[in-house]
Amino acid sequence: MYFESDASLQHVEGRTVAVIGYGIQGKAFAANLRDSGVAVIVGNRDDEYRETAVADGFDTRSIGEAAAAGSVVILLIPDDAHPEVFESHIAPNLDDGDLFVLAHGFSIRYGRITPPPTADVVLLAPKMFGKPIRQHYTEGSGVLAFVDVIQDASGHALDRTLAIAKAMGFTRYGVMPVSHATETELDLFQEQFLTPLLLDAFRMAFEVLVEAGYERIPVLLDMHASGEMAEMMVEAASTGLYEVIEQQGSPTCRFGVQRYLGKLLGEDVRARGREILEEIRNGGFVAALGKEAAAGYPSLADYTAMYRASEVTRTHDGLRAALGTA
Ligand code: NDP
C-alpha cells in the first residue's frame, strides 16, 4: 500500500494534465488536481459538460487538443466510448513518454484499446464516485484507489502515477497495488452480484411488510430511506461487518440478527454468484454488453420503466413530496 510519504508531486512538476471528460469522475479529478497545484486542462466535446468546465474556470479544449497539450492524459469518459475516442483522439496525440491513465481496467482487460508501446499506461482506480472524492479532498481526507502499472515505457510510471494519486488525495487513505484484470473483475462482480442482491433485499423487505398491511411510507423509511441502514454500512466499512452490530446494536437487535444470519441466502445464490463471476472472467458479460449496446440498450429501457413503475419508487416519490424535497 502506498501512502503520503511514498508519493511526491515533483514527479508531475512542469507537466500539464489533460482530464478527458467532465462527468462524475472528471469533475472531481480536475478540481482536486488544480487545488493541489497541478496544471490541468479539460478535454470534452462541445456541449453542456464543456460549458460547465468553462464555467468552473478550466482551460477547456476539444478532446484531441487537450490530449495533445497534456503529457499526462486521464481518460474519464464512459468505458463503452473508450475504443472510438481512444482511436480517433487520444492515440494520435500520445507522445513518447506520456502517461496515459485509466480509472477502470475494463478497456485494457478486455482488449478494447491498445495504447502505443512508447507511452506509460497505468490504472488509477478510485473506489468511490466523484462527489465523495471531492468532499474528502476538501475536508483533508481521501478515498481508496487501486493502482497498476500496465506499461512502463519511461521507467517512472509508478512515481508519476503516485504523484497524481497524491494530488487527488488518494494517498491520504492509501493506494493499493491491484492488477487491472482483478480491479475490473471485482468491480463488475460488485455491480452484478452484490448490488442487485442488496437492492432486491430492500425491495423484498418492503413488499413483505406492505403485503402484511403496514403503511408504505413508514416502511420505506424504516427499511431504507431514513439512511440508518446506509449509516450502518458506512460504520461497518471502517469497523467491520459484524463489529458494527456488536457495537451499535441493543441485545434485542443483536439476538434478532444472529437468529437469522446465514440462514436467508441459500447455496443457490452462492452458485449464481459463481456463474456471474465466470461470465465476467470468460468474456460472456462483455459479449452480452456489446450486443446490448449495438441494439441501443433495450434492457436498460425496460429496467427504467420497471423501476419507475415499482411501488418502492412511487412510495419514494410520495415521501419526497411529503418532505418537500421532490
Ligand atoms: P460519466 O458518465 O460521468 O462521463 C461523462 C463524461 O464523458 C462527460 O464529459 C461526457 O461528455 C463524456 N462522454 C460521454 N460519452 C462520450 C463519448 N461518446 N465521446 C466523448 N465523450 C463522452 O463517466 P464516469 O465519470 O462515471 O466514468 C469515467 C471513468 O471512470 C470510467 O472509466 C469509469 O469506469 C471510471 N470510474 C467511474 C466511477 C464512478 O463512480 N462513476 C468510479 C471509478 C471509476 P459529453 O457530454 O460530450 O457526452
Side-chain angles (χ1 to χ4, degrees), residues 21-26 44-45 47 49 63 75-79 81-82 85 103-104 126 128-130:
Y22 200 68
I24 297 164
Q25 289 292 330
N44 210 89
R45 295 187 298 197
D47 66 3
Y49 284 95
I63 294 176
L75 186 59
L76 296 169
I77 65 172
D79 300 283
H82 285 192
V85 170
H104 185 25
M128 192 61 77
F129 38 97

Side-chain angles (χ1 to χ4, degrees), residues 23-175:
I24 297 164
Q25 289 292 330
K27 206 169 153 60
F29 266 78
N32 289 8
L33 292 172
R34 177 169 67 183
D35 287 355
S36 292
V38 175
V40 175
I41 52 176
V42 171
N44 210 89
R45 295 187 298 197
D46 199 2
D47 66 3
E48 249 174 68
Y49 284 95
R50 184 170 179 160
E51 282 166 26
T52 312
V54 171
D56 290 344
F58 286 101
D59 174 351
T60 307
R61 309 183 191 177
S62 73
I63 294 176
E65 282 166 0
S71 58
V72 178
V73 179
I74 311 182
L75 186 59
L76 296 169
I77 65 172
D79 300 283
D80 61 353
H82 285 192
E84 197 269 316
V85 170
F86 184 80
E87 266 319 299
S88 312
H89 306 292
I90 309 281
N93 292 303
L94 273 184
D95 298 327
D96 291 0
D98 278 2
L99 174 67
F100 176 58
V101 183
L102 289 153
H104 185 25
F106 189 92
S107 293
I108 301 282
R109 162 65 180 85
Y110 294 111
R112 292 162 59 85
I113 62 172
T114 311
T118 47
D120 290 346
V121 180
V122 298
L123 169 75
L124 182 62
K127 294 289 109 187
M128 192 61 77
F129 38 97
K131 232 172 159 181
I133 291 177
R134 179 64 183 153
Q135 196 179 332
H136 277 279
Y137 178 88
T138 55
E139 288 168 359
S141 58
V143 307
L144 169 72
F146 289 166
V147 68
D148 184 22
V149 174
I150 299 163
Q151 193 169 282
D152 190 1
S154 71
H156 302 288
L158 181 62
D159 285 339
R160 290 176 183 161
T161 309
L162 290 178
I164 298 292
K166 185 169 193 162
M168 284 300 300
F170 300 155
T171 47
R172 295 174 186 169
Y173 182 106
V175 176

Side-chain angles (χ1 to χ4, degrees), residues 7 13 26 45 50 61 78 88 95 109 127 132 165 167 173 185 187 198 209 248 267 288 300 308:
E13 237 169 44
R45 295 187 298 197
R50 184 170 179 160
R61 309 183 191 177
S88 312
D95 298 327
R109 162 65 180 85
K127 294 289 109 187
Y173 182 106
E185 291 161 21
D187 200 66
L198 290 174
L209 291 164
Q248 307 291 334
E267 284 303 311
L300 280 192
R308 288 225 173 106

